[in-house]
Amino acid sequence: MKDLFTQWAFANDALQLALVGAGFMVLAGMALLMEWLRGRNRSLDRLEKVGWVPWTPIFLGCAFVGGGCLAMSLPVVLAGT
């Protein structure tokens, strides 16, 4: 765990930004999956198990932030510096 923190602390800013962006994209994928699962629910006439979490805005926000982070870090990460 200490080695992982040391690698994170001494990584360049673009790599850190790329990892944060990848994390946000994973969260966006999870939100998309949860929205898809809620849409497959067959008991929409009953009030149980409908769900109250706004997965679509969570997906859009995470995808926007993650895509922006990845786009900003892409030139430096691809160059390898």
Side-chain angles (χ1 to χ4, degrees):
M1 185 71 174
K2 185 179 178 183
D3 187 44
L4 184 63
F5 178 72
T6 305
Q7 287 179 355
W8 173 265
F10 289 113
N12 61 2
D13 293 339
L15 181 60
Q16 289 179 351
L17 193 63
L19 292 174
V20 168
F24 271 106
M25 294 305 278
V26 167
L27 285 175
M30 290 173 50
L32 185 64
L33 174 68
M34 295 306 293
E35 180 65 33
W36 179 72
L37 288 173
R38 183 170 58 179
R40 289 187 59 217
N41 192 3
R42 307 224 183 230
S43 63
L44 291 177
D45 54 344
R46 296 184 292 178
L47 291 178
E48 60 186 65
K49 295 184 179 181
V50 172
W52 56 271
V53 179
W55 291 114
T56 303
I58 292 172
F59 164 73
L60 290 174
C62 288
F64 183 74
V65 170
C69 288
L70 288 174
M72 292 298 290
S73 67
L74 189 63
V76 177
V77 171
L78 288 179
T81 59

